[in-house]
C-alpha cells in the first residue's frame, strides 16, 4: 500500500559537492582507499560488477560515473539538499533514487554519539512505500542477469535454506513465544507452549539434510549491504538496488531467499541471546554488552507496539517469499504454458522481490535500532505497518496468480487422467481386470463388497465376466431401474447356470458431497442388496466420476444408468436399462449390437406390446386368441366398452380376452378402486397393480430404445428425415403413450404376432357399437383389418379430437412428434408434475 506523499524537509547542511570521474572500460567500481577509521569494502563480486564505495572524509558523495549506456549523472542538488538523480538510459542502467520529490531522503550531518551516526530530529529516519511503478520496474529488471549466469555461479539449496529460515524466524512470527522469554516472569506461564514449539522446531530441523552447501560469501556480502549501509544513512532504495546487483546472476526466487537468509542470521542471533539470557552465562555476558536487559524490561510495555509492527512486517516478508518460491516452481511445471508464466510471474515477481528486499532492509534498520542504537532510534510503528500492508497487498495478488495456476495445473492433470481412463476403458484388453481397477481402486485393498455373502472382495471375482455397472444416486430404491435390476437378478439367482445368467451387477453410488448421514444411508441400502457394490465410495476417484458424468462419455445426470462391460473390459453399452426392461434376460449379453439385432426382428404386434407380463397373456397368445388391452379411469366407459366388446366377439365368432392395464403414472387409490369394481362385476381380467407400472415403464423404454436406434441409423445413412413418423413400431409406441397420458378410455385389439387395431375410447366404442355396418368385411379380410378399415372412416368423420403425449424428460426428446390419430404435428409444452399419491 502506497503512503501519502511525504516531503522530508532537510535541515541545512554543509555544501555537498557531487563530482564524477570517468570509469575504465571494464567498469570495475573501486573507490580510492579510505582513511583508517572509515575504510569500507564490499565482498568480491563478478568482474563486471565490482565496486567499493565509501564516502570521503569530508562526507562528499562521489559516485564514479560509468561511460556510455552504463552510468547515471545526478544533477547538482538545490539548496534544500534534495537528491533527485536523472533516470539512467538504456537497459543496463538503474536509478537508485527512482522516487519523485515526495520521496527524497536526507542524510544529515554526522556527529559523534553513542552507537553511531546522529540523525536530524525530532523527525526519525522514515521510509516511504510510494514510487513511480513504471520507472521502478524498468530499474529492477535492469539489475537481473540470471539468463547470463556464469558457470561458476552455482544454484543454491533453496528449499533447505527456506526451511532453516522458517525455524529461525518462527520465534519472530509467534508473538506468544516472544512473551515467554521477553517478558520477565512469563517463562513459567508458557512452559507448555514453549515445549510444544521446541518439538515442532526440532521436527522441522530433523527433516532437513545434515549438510548442504550454504552460500556463506553471499550471506556476508548481503549482510554488509543491509547492516553496514544503515549507519551511513543510505537511502533504502539504493541499498536494495545494491543488493540486487550482488545477486544479479541468481533467479528471482533465489535472490529473495538469499537476502532473507542473511537477515535471518542476524535476527536469530539477537533472539537466541534474548532467549538464553537468563539461563546461559555466555548469553548473559553478550546480552550485557548488547543491553538486552533494558530491552527485556521494556518489551511488554513501551516497546510492545514496535515489536508487533516488526513481527507483522517479518510475517509479510515470509509470506511473499514463500509465494515467490512457489510461483517459480510452477514455471518449471510442464502444464503451465508460456502465456500463463508471463501473466503470473514475469510481470509481477521482480517488483514483489524488490519490495520484499526493501522491507528486509527496513526491518534490519529496526533490528539495529533495537540491538545497537537504542530504543529511542526505532522507526515508528505506523511506518512499518504501512510497508507490511503493501507486502500484504502484493502477497494477495501473487496468491491469486498462484491459486489460478494451481487450478490450471489441476485441471490439466485431471484432463490427462481423464484421457488415460478413457483410453483404458475404450481399448480392448485380454480381460476386464485392468479397466475395473481403473474404475475402482483404493490403496491396493479389496475395492468391492459382496452384498449377498456380506464380505469384502477383490476385483478378481469379476474377471472375464460380463459386468453391469449400476450407477445411481442414493435415492435409488423407488427408481424403476432398481426394480428392473432386482427382478433380473432374482431370475439370475433362480437359474444360475443358464448362459443368460453369466453376468454380475456392481452398484456404484455417485454423490456430490458425502456426509455421515449419507454414509449411513449407503450402508443401509447395501444391506438389502444381493449383488456387488463398492466397499466404500472413496474407491471411485473424482476423475472417474467426472468421466461418468461427461456428456460425450456416459452422461450420468440423475437417472440411473446400467453400463455394460464385456469380459474383455470393453464398454459395450452405456445404458442397457431399456433393452433389459423390454426383453429381460433375452437381451444378454446386453450389447448395443444385440439391441439393434432385436429391433430388426420386431414388428408392431401383441407379443412385443404385452410380452410375458402375465401368465394369462402367455397362454392366450399360445392358444391364438384375440387379446384386447384397454385402460382409462372412466368407469362408465369401461362398463359400456367391455359389454360391447364381448357382444361383437360373440357375433363375429372370435375368442376375445380383455385385460385392464390402467394408465401411465396412475394414481394408486383410483386405479385400485377401478380394478376392484371390474373384478366384482366380472367385466374383464385385470393386470396386477405391481405390473401396471411396469407395462407403462416398458413402453417408455421402447420409446427410448427404438428412437435411439432410428436416430443412429439416420445419422449413419445420412438420411436425416423424420424417421419416427415413418416407422410403424414407433408410431404404435407413440399411440400407446398418448393413450396412457389421458384419463379417457382406449383399447388395442390383436393376436400374438399379427397386426393390431388401436383407438381412443370414443372411436373404439362407436366402431364396436356399429358392428352391423362392417361385419360383412370380417369374413372377407379378417376381424382386425375390417376393424381398422372402419376406424379410418370414423377418424375422418370425427369433428375434433385432443391427444396428449407425456414423455420422460430424459433420453430421446425429438423436436416434433406427429399425432397418432390424425398425423398432424403436435404442439409442444413443458410440464412439471408432483404426485405423492
Amino acid at each position: 500500500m502506497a503512503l501519502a506523499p511525504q516531503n522530508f524537509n532537510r535541515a541545512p547542511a554543509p555544501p555537498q559537492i557531487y563530482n564524477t570521474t570517468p570509469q575504465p572500460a571494464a567498469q570495475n567500481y573501486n573507490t580510492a582507499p579510505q582513511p583508517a577509521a572509515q575504510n569500507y569494502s564490499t565482498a568480491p563480486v563478478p568482474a563486471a560488477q565490482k565496486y567499493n564505495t565509501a564516502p570521503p572524509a569530508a562526507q562528499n558523495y562521489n559516485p564514479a560515473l560509468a561511460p556510455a549506456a552504463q552510468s547515471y549523472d545526478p544533477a547538482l542538488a538545490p539548496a534544500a539538499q534534495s537528491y533527485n538523480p536523472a533516470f539512467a538510459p538504456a537497459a543496463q542502467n538503474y536509478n537508485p533514487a527512482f522516487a519523485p520529490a515526495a520521496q527524497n531522503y536526507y542524510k544529515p550531518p554526522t556527529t559523534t554519539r553513542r552507537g553511531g551516526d546522529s540523525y536530524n530530529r525530532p523527525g526519525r529516519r522514515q521510509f516511504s512505500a510510494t514510487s513511480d511503478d513504471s520507472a521502478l520496474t524498468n530499474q529492477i529488471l535492469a539489475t537481473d542477469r540470471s539468463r547470463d549466469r556464469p558457470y561458476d555461479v552455482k544454484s543454491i539449496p533453496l528449499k533447505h535454506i527456506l526451511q532453516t529460515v522458517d525455524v529461525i524466524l518462527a520465534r519472530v512470527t509467534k508473538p506468544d513465544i516472544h512473551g515467554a522469554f521477553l517478558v520477565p516472569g512469563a517463562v513459567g506461564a508458557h512452559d507448555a507452549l514453549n515445549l510444544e514449539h521446541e518439538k515442532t522446531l526440532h521436527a522441522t530441523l530433523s527433516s532437513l539434510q545434515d549438510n548442504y552447501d550454504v552460500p556463506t560469501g553471499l550471506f556476508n556480502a548481503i549482510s554488509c549491504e543491509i547492516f553496514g549501509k544503515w549507519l551511513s544513512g543510505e537511502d533504502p532504495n539504493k541499498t536494495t538496488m545494491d543488493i540486487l546487483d550482488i545477486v544479479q546472476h541468481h533467479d528471482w526466487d533465489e535472490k529473495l531467499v538469499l537476502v532473507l537468509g542473511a537477515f535471518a542470521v542476524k535476527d536469530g542471533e539477537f533472539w537466541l541471546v534474548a532467549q538464553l539470557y537468563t539461563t546461559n552465562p555466555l548469553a548473559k555476558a553478550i546480552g550485557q554488552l548488547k543491553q538486552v536487559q533494558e530491552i527485556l524490561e521494556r518489551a511488554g510495555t513501551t516497546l510492545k507496539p514496535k515489536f508487533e509492527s516488526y513481527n507483522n512486517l517479518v510475517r509479510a516478508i515470509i509470506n511473499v517469499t514463500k509465494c515467490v518460491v512457489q510461483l517459480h516452481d510452477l514455471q518449471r511445471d510442464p502444464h503451465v504454458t508460456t502465456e500463463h508464466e508471463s501473466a503470473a510471474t514475469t510481470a509481477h515477481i521482480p517488483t514483489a522481490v524488490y519490495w520484499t528486499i526493501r522491507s528486509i532492509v527496513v526491518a534490519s534498520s529496526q533490528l539495529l535500532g533495537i540491538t545497537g542504537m537504542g530504543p529511542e532510534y526505532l522507526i515508528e510503528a505506523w511506518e512499518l505497518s504501512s510497508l507490511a500492508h503493501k507486502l500484504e497487498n502484493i502477497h494477495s495478488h501473487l496468491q491469486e496468480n498462484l491459486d489460478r495456476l494451481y487450478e490450471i495445473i489441476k485441471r490439466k492433470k485431471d484432463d490427462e487422467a481423464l484421457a488415460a481412463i478413457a483410453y483404458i476403458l475404450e481399448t480392448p484388453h485380454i480381460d476386464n481386470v485392468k479397466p475395473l481397477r481403473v474404475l475402482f481402486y483404493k490403496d491396493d485393498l479389496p475395492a468391492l463388497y459382496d452384498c449377498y455373502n456380506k464380505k469384502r472382495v477383490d476385483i478378481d471375482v469379476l474377471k472375464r465376466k460380463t459386468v453391469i455397472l449400476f450407477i445411481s444416486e442414493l435415492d435409488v430404491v423407488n427408481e424403476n431401474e432398481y426394480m428392473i435390476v432386482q427382478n433380473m437378478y432374482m431370475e439370475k439367482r433362480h437359474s444360475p447356470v443358464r448362459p443368460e445368467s453369466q453376468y454380475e451387477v456392481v452398484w456404484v453410488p455417485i454423490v456430490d458431497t458425502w456426509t455421515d448421514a449419507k454414509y449411513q444411508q449407503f450402508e443401509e441400502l447395501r444391506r438389502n442388496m444381493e449383488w456387488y457394490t463398492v466397499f466404500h465410495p472413496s474407491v471411485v476417484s473424482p476423475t472417474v466420476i467426472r468421466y461418468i458424468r461427461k456428456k460425450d462419455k456416459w452422461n450420468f445426470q440423475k437417472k440411473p444408468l446400467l453400463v455394460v462391460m464385456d469380459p474383455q473390459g470393453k464398454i459395450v453399452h452405456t445404458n442397457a436399462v431399456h433393452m433389459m426392461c423390454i426383453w429381460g434376460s433375452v437381451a444378454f449379453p446386453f450389447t448395443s449390437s444385440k439391441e439393434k439385432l432385436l429391433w430388426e426382428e420386431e414388428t408392431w404386434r401383441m407379443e412385443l406390446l404385452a410380452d410375458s407380463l402375465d401368465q394369462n397373456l402367455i397362454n392366450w397368445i399360445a392358444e391364438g386368441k384375440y387379446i384386447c388391452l384397454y385402460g382409462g379411469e372412466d368407469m362408465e366407459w369401461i362398463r359400456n366398452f367391455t359389454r360391447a366388446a364381448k357382444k361383437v366377439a360373440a357375433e363375429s365368432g372370435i375368442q376375445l380376452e380383455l385385460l385392464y392395464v390402467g394408465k401411465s403414472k396412475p394414481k394408486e387409490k383410483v386405479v385400485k378402486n377401478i380394478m376392484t369394481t371390474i373384478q366384482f362385476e366380472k367385466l374383464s381380467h385385470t393386470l396386477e397393480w405391481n405390473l401396471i407400472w411396469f407395462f407403462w415403464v416398458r413402453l417408455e423404454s421402447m420409446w427410448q430404445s427404438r428412437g435411439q436406434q432410428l436416430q443412429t441409423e439416420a445419422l449413419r445413412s445420412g438420411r436425416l428425415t423424420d424417421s419416427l413418423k415413418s416407422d410403424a413400431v414407433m408410431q404404435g409406441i407413440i399411440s400407446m403413450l398418448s393413450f396412457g397420458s389421458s384419463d379417457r378410455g382406449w383399447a388395442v385389439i390383436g393376436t400374438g404376432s399379427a397386426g393390431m387395431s388401436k383407438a381412443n375410447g370414443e372411436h373404439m366404442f362407436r366402431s364396436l357399437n356399429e358392428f352391423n355396418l362392417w361385419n360383412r368385411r370380417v369374413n372377407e379380410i379378417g376381424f382386425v383389418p375390417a376393424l381398422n378399415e372402419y376406424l379410418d372412416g370414423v377418424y375422418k368423420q370425427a369433428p375434433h379430437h385432443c391427444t396428449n403425449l407425456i414423455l420422460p424428460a430424459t433420453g430421446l426428446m425429438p423436436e416434433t412428434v406427429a399425432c397418432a390419430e390424425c398425423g398432424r404435428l403436435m404442439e409442444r409444452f413443458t410440464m412439471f408434475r408432483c404426485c405423492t399419491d
Side-chain angles (χ1 to χ4, degrees), residues 491-503:
E491 183 182 346
K492 166 186 161 63
R493 289 286 186 194
H494 187 263
S495 305
V497 296
R498 292 188 314 165
E500 296 86 356
S501 299
Q502 305 311 305
Y503 65 87

Side-chain angles (χ1 to χ4, degrees), residues 129-395:
T130 60
S131 69
D132 181 345
D133 288 341
S134 177
L136 173 62
T137 301
N138 291 333
Q139 294 171 28
I140 295 167
L141 292 175
T143 66
D144 182 48
R145 303 288 186 276
S146 57
R147 294 185 181 275
D148 303 323
R149 190 172 190 148
Y151 69 93
D152 58 340
V153 177
K154 298 179 180 178
S155 296
I156 66 169
L158 196 70
K159 299 293 179 62
H160 293 96
I161 294 175
L162 192 57
Q163 282 182 292
T164 306
V165 167
D166 252 344
V167 173
I168 297 171
L169 297 182
R171 305 180 186 282
V172 179
T173 57
K174 304 277 187 186
D176 289 339
I177 303 301
H178 281 167
F181 61 82
L182 284 181
V183 181
V187 176
H190 294 74
D191 280 344
L193 184 62
N194 275 326
L195 182 60
E196 187 63 30
H197 184 63
E198 290 295 333
K199 288 180 180 178
T200 304
L201 295 182
H202 283 299
T204 304
L205 286 173
S206 63
S207 66
L208 299 175
Q209 293 182 3
D210 290 337
N211 49 36
Y212 53 88
D213 291 335
V214 178
T216 309
L218 278 175
F219 278 172
N220 291 336
I222 295 167
S223 186
C224 286
E225 286 293 331
I226 295 176
F227 297 102
K229 296 292 182 68
W230 184 85
L231 295 176
S232 63
E234 185 174 87
D235 179 1
N237 171 67
K238 175 65 166 60
T239 304
T240 303
M241 289 298 183
D242 288 344
I243 292 170
L244 287 174
D245 269 343
I246 294 175
V247 294
Q248 62 178 295
H249 288 304
H250 290 273
D251 292 332
W252 290 104
D253 55 342
E254 293 180 329
K255 297 177 198 287
L256 191 49
V257 171
L258 284 168
V259 179
L260 182 60
F263 165 74
V265 170
K266 191 73 174 178
D267 182 280
E269 290 172 356
F270 170 73
W271 294 116
L272 182 62
V273 172
Q275 184 179 14
L276 300 178
Y277 178 77
T278 57
T279 58
N280 186 284
L282 179 59
K284 186 174 182 65
I286 296 173
Q288 287 176 342
L289 295 180
K290 289 182 173 288
Q291 301 183 19
V292 170
Q293 180 64 36
E294 179 184 350
I295 298 170
L296 291 174
E297 290 173 354
R298 300 174 62 186
T301 55
T302 57
L303 291 181
K304 186 175 181 180
K306 293 178 170 49
F307 275 123
E308 289 176 352
S309 61
Y310 173 81
N311 294 340
N312 290 336
L313 180 57
V314 173
R315 269 192 292 272
I317 289 168
I318 293 172
N319 289 337
V320 174
T321 302
K322 289 181 177 179
C323 217
V324 168
V325 170
Q326 288 175 301
L327 281 169
H328 256 272
D329 280 346
L330 292 188
Q331 283 192 48
R332 305 175 184 95
D333 193 295
H335 300 94
V336 178
T337 64
T338 304
E339 292 79 13
H340 295 140
E341 287 180 16
S342 175
T345 59
T346 306
H348 305 294
I349 286 181
T351 305
V353 169
Y354 166 84
W355 280 108
T356 310
I357 293 177
R358 180 163 173 162
S359 298
I360 292 172
V361 171
V362 174
S364 302
S365 299
Q366 182 78 329
L367 182 63
L368 284 178
I370 294 171
T371 61
M373 301 301 297
E376 64 272 17
Y377 298 104
L378 293 174
I379 301 168
E380 291 293 347
W382 68 266
E383 297 179 53
L384 296 183
S385 297
S386 66
L387 199 51
H389 186 65
K390 181 175 184 69
L391 287 189
E392 287 167 3
N393 289 337
I394 291 172
H395 175 257

Side-chain angles (χ1 to χ4, degrees), residues 40-45 50-53 221 224-225 229 246:
Y40 175 72
S41 177
T42 60
V45 293
K50 291 183 179 178
Y51 61 90
N52 289 319
T53 61
C224 286
E225 286 293 331
K229 296 292 182 68
I246 294 175

Side-chain angles (χ1 to χ4, degrees), residues 506-537:
V506 179
W507 180 44
V508 185
I510 303 295
V511 176
D512 291 329
T513 304
W514 285 93
T515 62
D516 291 340
K518 290 182 178 180
Y519 280 123
Q520 185 176 356
Q521 185 182 357
F522 163 71
E523 291 178 355
E524 289 174 357
L525 283 171
R526 74 179 187 179
R527 274 198 291 269
N528 298 319
M529 294 177 177
E530 295 187 355
W531 45 82
Y532 295 97
T533 182
V534 294
F535 179 77
H536 190 274

